[in-house]
């Protein structure tokens, strides 16, 4: 099972996804005990290569190739931006949640996403960039966020579908990142994955309740799954044949599995769960392949993925406008906090 | 002796506050503030659920927290008018937080020590949370009041606009273990002390506006729409 057993957050000892998270955490503790190495450039490169080869962790104190640093900044920042933009599609349902219990769960989830953004920006900052620079790059479009958040949340069932499919895909993508070669990113991912399993479970429970509710609720749930299925498959990125960053990223052990391997793992996981939910996966080509011991399925529309990434999705403008508005409307508050802090420093003698 | 209306007043104050704060997702001036506002919203919602559940039990008509939250109309809500006021900018969020938490904190403290066991348990839990709300409201009132000219102007305007509604915190003839009016002196000295330290003026007293409550009606319309569209459904 790929962490979707919904058995509870402490079910990690059975070798499920949370078990993998715990193993990754143990590896990080061992890595923290290593000392710092100094020397000429060739020795540094050799040391870096040896650490990667031995499945050890690179830490901020260690020398690293520029391309490794740049690639990580790009990936971690994009991930952080995704958490922050990702608050919007679900957040708009906080005020409309249909029960107080669901309202509380959704509030807690959206709050977690803000927290995940903060851990990830902090991890990126260990690579020598500031959060302010990264936020500027998001706001002026130089850096991206996950294309999935450019789709609209039309009904309450979308909150269920996002939890089940979008958070489910995120977990399949992210659990291997707990073993990523860069220590601060791996540590951030461990905290995040532990919370994501709760997010996915709450989505699954929403769909489970709706699917077994009134006819209108069941239809709402099926409609949401119909709309979120292919965008969720597209979250794993372009097919391996077209993925620009993958090979180097795998060599450096930032990434552990290919886009297509992870996508297959996700599909196989969802088929069984859809059965329990009593909902249909909207793919007429979906069938078990005995030879491959995996499901055949219809690939998502990668042209659509590219269009959405380039800015032409249903909600790109709305998401960015919301983020820019929050940032610009908060400017006077941030200035006030800075001015107040400066006055307090004047008052206290050095 | 505790009446249903008394518990509804407390629960509705908390619920409407949570509903207003819940609209601030991903809109705070800093990411840390998004986390903090969500945290306060969750505390208020948690208290609201306990209080509405208790109110439903006292009433004895089989209404649970959701029946009370989603199936009453504006005229049946018992919250004070302060909490339903809109928050056109962050200064209003902070001013409301300070004004409300300066009331809720001593209220929960008194309830925790008073004779109604259920309210004592709820008050004991909410007391710790409201101490954090008061702390957060105080910190930001100081920053905004004694920050820049613009922040000073904005937060003063927020306190001036909201001040007439603060009288409503202390009125109400519903019977319960702690009289709201008994908290006025404590509230007054807490708020005035923070305003003074923040270089802000204490607004002059003015009568509380009366009449229709269009903002509460609009808030409830949004909150209740989905629930009411599916009578009898489970969520």
């Amino acid at each position: 099972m790929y962490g979707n057993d919904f058995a509870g957050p402490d079910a990690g000892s059975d070798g499920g996804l949370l078990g993998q998270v715990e193993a990754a955490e143990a590896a990080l503790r061992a890595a923290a005990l290593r000392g710092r190495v100094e020397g000429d450039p060739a020795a540094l490169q050799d040391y870096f290569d040896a650490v990667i080869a031995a499945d050890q962790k690179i830490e901020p104190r260690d020398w690293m190739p520029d391309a490794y640093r740049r690639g990580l900044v790009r990936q971690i920042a994009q991930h952080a931006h995704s958490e922050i933009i990702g608050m919007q599609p679900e957040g708009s349902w906080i005020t409309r949640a249909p029960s107080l219990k669901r309202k509380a769960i959704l509030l807690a989830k959206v709050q977690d996403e803000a927290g995940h953004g903060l851990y990830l920006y902090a991890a990126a900052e260990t690579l020598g960039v500031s959060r302010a620079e990264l936020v500027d790059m998001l706001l002026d479009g130089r850096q991206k966020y996950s294309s999935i958040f450019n789709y609209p949340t039309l009904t309450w069932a979308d909150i269920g579908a996002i939890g089940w499919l979008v958070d489910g895909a995120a977990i399949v993508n992210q659990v291997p990142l707990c073993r990523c070669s860069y220590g601060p990113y791996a540590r951030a991912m461990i905290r995040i994955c532990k919370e994501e399993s709760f997010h996915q479970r709450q989505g699954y429970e929403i769909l489970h309740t709706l699917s077994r509710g009134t006819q209108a609720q069941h239809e709402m749930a099926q409609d949401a799954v119909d709309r979120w299925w292919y965008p969720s498959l597209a979250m794993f990125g372009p097919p391996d044949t077209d993925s620009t960053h993958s090979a180097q990223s795998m060599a450096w052990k930032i990434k552990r599995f290919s886009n297509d391997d992870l996508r297959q793992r996700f599909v196989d996981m969802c088929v069984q769960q859809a059965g329990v939910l009593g909902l249909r996966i909207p793919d007429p080509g979906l069938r078990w392949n005995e030879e491959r011991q995996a499901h055949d399925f219809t690939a998502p529309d990668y042209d659509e993925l590219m269009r959405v990434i380039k800015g032409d999705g249903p909600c790109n403008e709305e998401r960015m406008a919301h983020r820019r508005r929050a940032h610009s409307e908060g400017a006077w508050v941030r200035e006030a906090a800075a001015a107040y802090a400066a006055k307090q420093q004047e008052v206290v003698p050095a | 002796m505790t009446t249903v209306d008394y518990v509804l007043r407390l629960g509705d104050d908390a619920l409407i506050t949570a509903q207003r704060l819940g609209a601030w997702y991903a809109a705070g001036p800093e990411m840390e503030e998004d986390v903090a506002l969500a945290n306060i919203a969750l505390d208020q919602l948690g208290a609201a659920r306990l209080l509405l559940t208790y109110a439903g039990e006292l009433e004895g008509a089989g209404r649970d927290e959701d029946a009370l939250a989603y199936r009453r109309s504006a005229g049946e809500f018992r919250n004070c008018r302060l909490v339903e006021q809109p928050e056109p900018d962050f200064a209003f969020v902070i001013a409301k937080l300070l004004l409300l938490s300066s009331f809720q904190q001593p209220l929960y403290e008194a309830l925790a020590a008073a004779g109604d066991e259920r309210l004592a348990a709820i008050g004991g839990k909410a007391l710790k949370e409201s101490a954090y709300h008061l702390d957060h409201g105080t910190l930001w009132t100081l920053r905004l009041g004694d920050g820049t000219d613009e922040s000073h102007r904005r937060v003063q305007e927020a306190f001036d606009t909201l001040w007439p509604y603060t009288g409503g915190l202390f009125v109400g003839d519903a019977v319960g273990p702690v009289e709201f009016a008994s908290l006025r002196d404590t509230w007054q000295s807490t708020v005035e002390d923070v305003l003074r330290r923040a270089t802000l003026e204490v607004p002059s007293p003015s009568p509380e506006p009366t009449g229709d409550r269009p903002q509460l009606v609009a808030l409830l319309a949004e909150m209740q729409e989905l629930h009411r569209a599916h009578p009898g459904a489970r969520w």
Side-chain angles (χ1 to χ4, degrees):
Chain A
M1 301 254 258
Y2 296 112
N4 293 282
D5 44 30
F6 306 103
D10 51 357
S13 54
D14 63 359
L17 279 187
L18 283 176
Q20 294 176 36
V21 171
E22 278 167 22
E25 199 169 15
L28 275 167
R29 281 195 293 270
L33 300 173
R34 275 188 305 112
R36 183 190 169 91
V37 168
E38 291 174 0
D40 61 62
L44 291 171
Q45 177 75 51
D46 285 349
Y47 179 74
F48 174 85
D49 292 343
V51 169
I52 299 287
D55 257 338
Q56 291 286 331
K57 301 298 172 193
I58 299 296
E59 293 295 337
R61 67 187 174 212
D62 294 331
W63 179 87
M64 62 192 87
D66 279 346
Y68 178 85
R69 186 184 298 274
R70 277 198 309 275
L72 274 170
V73 168
R74 182 186 58 78
Q75 181 171 341
I76 300 172
Q78 177 168 328
H79 192 166
H81 301 330
S82 299
E83 296 283 357
I84 295 302
I85 298 290
M87 295 166 75
Q88 291 182 37
E90 294 170 284
S92 67
W93 283 91
I94 291 172
T95 54
R96 296 177 284 169
S99 74
L100 296 187
K101 179 182 162 199
R102 291 290 176 205
K103 190 190 289 286
I105 292 171
L106 185 57
L107 251 171
K109 180 175 191 252
V110 172
Q111 183 190 35
D112 280 351
E113 283 156 6
H116 294 175
L118 287 171
Y119 313 154
L120 288 162
Y121 284 121
E125 285 187 321
T126 65
L127 292 159
V129 288
S130 72
R131 184 168 107 191
E133 287 173 72
L134 298 175
V135 168
D136 282 345
M137 286 198 270
L138 168 67
L139 295 179
D140 67 19
R142 278 177 293 157
Q143 286 184 340
K144 303 291 185 197
Y145 55 89
S146 176
S147 62
I148 193 75
F149 301 118
N150 291 317
Y151 291 88
T153 42
L154 302 178
T155 73
W156 170 252
D158 288 28
I159 302 305
I162 288 178
W164 180 44
L165 295 174
V166 175
D167 293 324
I171 291 172
V172 169
N173 253 331
Q174 291 172 0
V175 165
L177 290 173
C178 296
R179 291 172 53 231
C180 148
S181 62
Y182 187 58
Y185 191 24
R187 281 188 283 277
M189 290 316 306
I190 284 170
R191 287 183 71 176
I192 290 170
C193 284
K194 288 180 177 178
E195 294 177 356
E196 287 290 346
S197 70
F198 146 73
H199 293 180
Q200 199 206 11
R201 187 161 64 236
Q202 65 86 36
Y204 183 89
E205 282 173 354
I206 288 174
L207 289 180
H208 195 268
T209 305
L210 292 176
S211 181
R212 283 161 174 69
T214 65
Q215 181 67 23
Q217 285 178 308
H218 180 86
E219 284 167 11
M220 193 192 285
Q222 183 63 56
D223 168 66
V225 170
D226 288 350
R227 284 181 290 108
W228 287 93
W229 174 252
Y230 285 110
S232 300
L233 289 190
M235 283 175 71
F236 295 92
D240 294 348
T241 45
D242 299 347
S243 182
T244 44
H245 299 294
S246 283
Q248 182 61 72
S249 201
M250 301 259 282
W252 277 332
K253 298 184 180 171
I254 294 171
K255 207 170 156 156
R256 299 277 178 163
F257 302 96
S258 79
N259 293 353
D260 286 335
D261 286 349
L262 293 169
R263 192 169 6 246
Q264 180 72 57
R265 188 178 289 192
F266 176 69
V267 170
D268 291 337
M269 173 188 98
C270 287
V271 170
Q272 177 260 336
Q273 291 171 1
V276 180
L277 287 172
L279 295 170
R280 187 183 64 251
I281 289 175
D283 178 1
L286 185 72
R287 60 182 56 85
W288 178 249
N289 182 323
E290 188 62 36
E291 201 176 314
R292 291 200 304 119
Q293 287 294 299
H295 290 87
D296 292 337
F297 61 95
T298 307
D301 179 348
Y302 294 114
D303 292 337
E304 176 181 316
L305 173 65
M306 289 305 146
R307 282 197 304 277
V308 177
I309 288 175
K310 289 198 169 75
D312 204 15
C315 300
N316 297 56
E317 280 181 31
E318 183 186 332
R319 302 291 182 238
M320 288 306 295
H322 182 112
R323 193 65 249 150
R324 289 196 189 101
R325 192 168 58 243
H327 191 74
S328 66
E329 288 180 359
W332 69 271
V333 179
R334 294 190 297 275
E335 285 159 16
Y340 178 77
K343 286 183 199 178
Q344 294 308 105
Q345 285 201 330
E346 283 166 23
V347 175
V348 182
Chain B
M1 167 72 187
T2 303
T3 60
V4 178
D5 270 359
Y6 185 89
V7 183
L8 281 178
R9 159 69 201 280
L10 304 183
D12 289 347
D13 277 359
L15 177 62
I16 302 301
T17 300
Q19 181 71 6
R20 281 278 182 235
L21 287 173
W24 273 84
Y25 70 93
E30 287 277 14
M31 292 167 201
E32 285 81 356
E33 207 47 34
D34 282 339
V35 177
L37 295 181
N39 202 14
I40 295 168
L42 273 169
D43 289 343
Q44 294 283 354
L45 184 54
R49 295 180 63 192
L50 295 171
L51 288 161
L52 292 182
T53 299
Y54 182 38
E57 288 171 23
L58 282 177
E59 183 188 50
R63 293 204 283 185
D64 63 6
E65 59 177 37
D66 285 339
L68 288 168
Y70 289 96
R71 308 198 77 82
R72 279 182 299 155
S73 60
E76 297 166 272
F77 270 73
R78 295 286 169 262
N79 59 285
C80 64
R81 289 181 183 235
L82 174 67
V83 295
E84 74 205 36
Q85 296 311 303
E87 293 151 357
D89 70 9
F90 185 70
F92 276 79
V93 174
I94 293 307
K96 281 174 72 178
L97 183 62
L98 180 74
L99 295 171
L100 180 68
S101 59
S102 299
F103 169 79
Q104 283 183 330
Q105 200 268 341
L107 170 66
Y108 289 138
E109 190 169 43
L111 285 175
D116 183 309
E117 271 182 33
R118 282 288 285 281
L119 287 180
I122 295 168
K125 178 175 181 295
L127 168 61
K128 299 178 197 104
E129 296 164 352
S130 66
Y132 162 70
H133 305 170
L134 179 55
D135 191 53
H136 199 70
T138 300
L139 182 67
W140 272 108
T141 301
L142 294 175
R143 284 172 174 164
L144 297 182
D146 196 14
T148 63
D149 289 347
E150 183 184 9
S151 68
H152 181 90
R153 177 181 60 72
R154 281 181 185 251
V155 78
Q156 183 70 60
E157 188 186 319
F159 278 105
D160 290 348
T161 305
L162 295 168
W163 199 260
Y165 297 97
T166 56
L169 288 166
F170 310 103
V171 298
D173 44 18
V175 177
V178 177
E179 275 186 53
F180 302 134
S182 71
L183 303 165
R184 188 187 268 277
D185 290 347
T186 306
W187 178 87
Q188 192 89 23
S189 74
T190 305
V191 171
E192 288 187 5
D193 176 59
V194 177
L195 291 181
R196 186 182 48 71
R197 285 161 56 208
T199 73
L200 293 164
E201 301 277 334
V202 177
S204 343
S206 57
E208 183 172 21
T210 54
D212 291 340
R213 301 167 79 166
Q215 281 126 354
L216 179 63
V217 171
L219 178 149
L220 294 178
E222 182 181 16
M223 185 175 92
Q224 297 175 337
E225 180 195 0
L226 173 61
H227 181 98
R228 289 192 178 213
H230 297 265
R234 284 183 56 251
W235 299 97

